[in-house]
Amino acid sequence: MGEKSKKSGEIGEEISKKLLELIGWKTFLQNVTIACNNKSHVNESGNPRKTHGGDIIFIYHNPFHDDRTDIVHVSVKNSLSAPPSPATLKRKFKEHYTELQETIACAKHSKEIQDICDAYGTRNKKNSFRSFDMASQ
């Protein structure tokens, strides 16, 4: 089962990369680990999280705001099985969205992310974190 899940994730990430490239997002970071700094964030087992995984992070100077650099977190979820029922899809989407919100909350205080932003040359430290959930079921 683990092999199938791994393959599904790889396929999802490849699809996501291609979609992002189609809209002009060619430069991004992949599989970034973000330290968890909130004790209320728990994993599937109910234990406090130590880290969050960032599937894709895209950093760009916002063309509509001269003084802003946006940091976009993309969460990739893919399944090789049949589409879930509407109720399951709704529940899973909420779980994924909550996970992404927690990742962004910790990323705002992450030294690693700040170092990446500094290296990129973010504008006036007015970074704006955005989320984008690429879920395909």
Side-chain angles (χ1 to χ4, degrees):
M1 186 68 178
E3 184 68 28
K4 184 177 177 183
S5 178
K6 183 178 184 300
K7 184 67 174 170
S8 173
E10 290 169 354
I11 291 170
E13 287 179 8
E14 192 59 34
I15 291 169
S16 299
K17 285 193 306 188
K18 297 287 186 197
L19 286 171
L20 292 173
E21 287 172 3
L22 283 172
I23 63 172
W25 294 9
K26 296 181 193 300
T27 307
F28 47 83
L29 304 167
Q30 223 175 322
N31 301 318
V32 176
T33 300
I34 298 164
C36 183
N37 53 42
N38 187 324
K39 293 179 181 171
S40 69
H41 296 171
V42 295
N43 61 21
E44 301 81 27
S45 304
N47 298 319
R49 281 190 173 276
K50 293 182 178 153
T51 61
H52 298 277
D55 292 328
I56 297 173
I57 297 175
F58 181 76
I59 302 171
Y60 71 102
H61 298 307
N62 189 310
F64 302 108
H65 300 277
D66 290 339
D67 63 344
R68 192 166 97 188
T69 299
D70 288 335
I71 299 141
V72 181
H73 291 261
V74 179
S75 176
V76 179
K77 306 295 182 195
N78 188 43
S79 175
L80 297 176
S81 59
S85 68
T88 300
L89 180 61
K90 184 176 180 180
R91 179 181 52 79
K92 285 294 215 180
F93 184 82
K94 284 182 180 180
E95 289 172 6
H96 297 324
Y97 190 73
T98 299
E99 180 183 344
L100 187 56
Q101 287 176 314
E102 290 177 355
T103 300
I104 291 170
C106 289
K108 288 180 180 181
H109 306 286
S110 167
K111 180 172 177 1
E112 292 80 13
I113 297 295
Q114 191 57 55
D115 289 346
I116 292 167
C117 291
D118 290 345
Y120 184 77
T122 56
R123 297 175 175 168
N124 296 331
K125 305 290 184 208
K126 292 182 182 178
N127 301 328
S128 177
F129 287 80
R130 304 272 184 247
S131 65
F132 188 63
D133 190 359
M134 296 187 83
S136 62
Q137 297 292 329

